[in-house]
Amino acid sequence: MARFRAHSLKVGNRVTDAAQLTLRETLFPLFLVTILYFLWGFAYGLLDTLNKHFQNTLGITRTRSSGLQAAYFGAYPLASLGYANWVLRHFGYRATFILGLTLYGIGAFMMWPAALKQSFGGFCGATFIIGSGLGSLETAANPYMAVTGPPKYSELRINIAQAIQAIGTVVGPVLGSYVFFDETGDSVNALKTVQWVYLAIGCFVFCLAVVFFFSVIPEVTDADMSQQADLTHGTKGDDEKPFWKQYRLFHAAWAQFAYTGSQVAIAGYFINYVTEIRPNTSSALGAKFLAIAQGCFAAGRFSGSGIMKFIRPRWVFLCYLSCVIIFCAASITQRGNTGLALLTMTLFFESVCFPTIVALGIRGLGRHTKRGSGVIVGGVVGGACIPPILASVADRRNSTAFAMIVPVMFFISAETYAFAVNFVPSYRDRADKIGEGAVFKSDIEKGGDVSEEGSVDDKAVVYEQENA
């Protein structure tokens, strides 16, 4: 099969050729989509670094600087619940990837005039467009990773992809500390470097959009997902219920809102925290500490993915999120290197939470998968809501450390979903129904999910007999 050729963007609601692929044949499309994870990880890591330096360079308060996060994550629900979700359901994944990359490129180019005018409002506007593009990419990429392949490996696939995203979050702070603000410091000259970096980003993502336009990647339609849900959850599962009755999905969306908002708040004000609680720590040094913490975040993603091969993902999720609460709460009262270490460990244990919520939240939704993914990704708007709360508390108490109580409270509310998916039967049973082998009907013909030889799931056989 040709990897690249001109072909239509519209797929329609039919069983597609994605059902004909073996695991080996999915490697190319999944590799291509994984590049997108690095892109939004890089953008997010760079945002955290710019937050603190804009406070100094442009002379703004912590509360006002949270406008960057509000612009970036505020665009997510508009994409995931609006135009990106519409494109995803009516045209497919490839069209949504191209839309997201195009918006990302436009926003990156708009950073140039914002830096020329030294306009914080301009930076926020450009960041909003970048967030729109990345929200579009994430609306499609997360469910694509979760559903393209055997269901029992969905959490593993998405956690590995998100680990690549975490590498991007490391590169962002490193670039900020060593390129933007190392020699030039918190000066207007540093903004000139910002211009060139975003110009390069814009050129790259537009080229990547062209690559996706000509790439032949499998499309997974609502018909495919309905078939998959029948195989794994039976013909009388949640797939048959109206969308508004998917209460477990909406609980997952709340957990995503609370978790993501808290994660963004901590990362966005990590440098503020370190410079306040650790003597003789500059913003540039704080950015280096943030890069180390993001490196721990990436390591947590890889280690968590490895653990999930042996332990159910829902247990790993519960354990990691519980540790997040413990370490973040302890960082409120500690100072010096102890406080820094505690907040760094918080980032390590944050690692698997986001992708696991996505994978567990859309499990068994069938024909509702694309819309459900949009709802969960829309929960990322917490990144626009919770950082301003933390910043306001920090400004009022003149203490970023004290303000860490805000994410702790939201983490606790997200923990309710982790407990439910492990201890409430209706949650737990849906999370554990992953099937033993085939994903799509034609996988049955090929003899399983890993290769062209192997065992076949009994439910898949029944499904094929019923639909012969």
Side-chain angles (χ1 to χ4, degrees), residues 128-371:
F128 179 85
I129 298 176
I130 290 174
S132 297
L134 296 176
S136 300
L137 293 177
E138 199 153 357
T139 298
N142 284 319
Y144 192 81
M145 278 289 173
V147 304
T148 306
K152 62 183 176 181
Y153 298 129
S154 61
E155 290 91 351
L156 182 60
R157 283 193 303 273
I158 198 171
N159 270 284
I160 292 175
Q162 289 279 355
I164 302 301
Q165 178 261 345
I167 293 175
T169 65
V170 177
V171 175
V174 170
L175 187 68
S177 60
Y178 284 98
V179 179
F180 291 169
F181 303 102
D182 192 28
E183 295 182 1
T184 57
D186 290 308
S187 68
V188 175
N189 289 330
L191 298 181
K192 295 180 180 178
T193 312
V194 174
Q195 293 173 289
W196 289 104
V197 169
Y198 275 101
L199 179 63
I201 292 172
C203 293
F204 176 78
V205 297
F206 274 122
C207 291
L208 191 58
V210 174
V211 171
F212 267 95
F213 181 80
F214 289 102
S215 295
V216 180
I217 63 174
E219 287 283 354
V220 184
T221 65
D222 289 345
D224 287 317
M225 290 312 304
S226 180
Q227 186 184 89
Q228 186 186 88
D230 287 347
L231 294 179
T232 58
H233 291 72
T235 57
K236 303 251 183 225
D238 290 340
D239 181 50
E240 299 302 318
K241 297 178 181 177
F243 182 75
W244 62 272
K245 287 188 176 181
Q246 307 292 334
Y247 62 89
R248 288 179 289 268
L249 166 69
F250 296 112
H251 192 178
W254 168 256
Q256 198 70 286
F257 173 91
Y259 163 76
T260 303
S262 300
Q263 175 197 329
V264 171
I266 291 172
Y269 292 92
F270 186 96
I271 299 176
N272 286 86
Y273 175 87
V274 174
T275 54
E276 291 175 19
I277 60 99
R278 191 175 185 276
N280 303 317
T281 302
S282 64
S283 296
L285 180 58
K288 292 180 176 66
F289 284 132
L290 175 60
I292 293 172
Q294 296 287 20
C296 292
F297 181 85
R301 283 257 166 96
F302 283 108
S303 65
S305 300
I307 294 172
M308 286 180 185
K309 294 184 66 176
F310 307 100
I311 301 175
R312 289 188 184 276
R314 56 183 172 83
W315 286 114
V316 179
F317 171 45
L318 176 63
C319 177
Y320 271 52
L321 186 55
S322 298
C323 290
V324 166
I325 295 171
I326 293 170
F327 283 105
C328 188
S331 71
I332 296 173
T333 58
Q334 299 303 307
R335 298 293 181 268
N337 289 331
T338 303
L340 172 60
L342 288 170
L343 206 60
T344 299
M345 289 303 298
T346 299
L347 267 72
F348 175 86
F349 285 108
E350 285 177 351
S351 53
V352 305
C353 298
F354 179 93
T356 308
I357 291 173
V358 173
L360 293 174
I362 65 175
R363 174 70 53 76
L365 287 179
R367 62 191 174 91
H368 301 305
T369 298
K370 291 180 179 179
R371 184 176 295 178

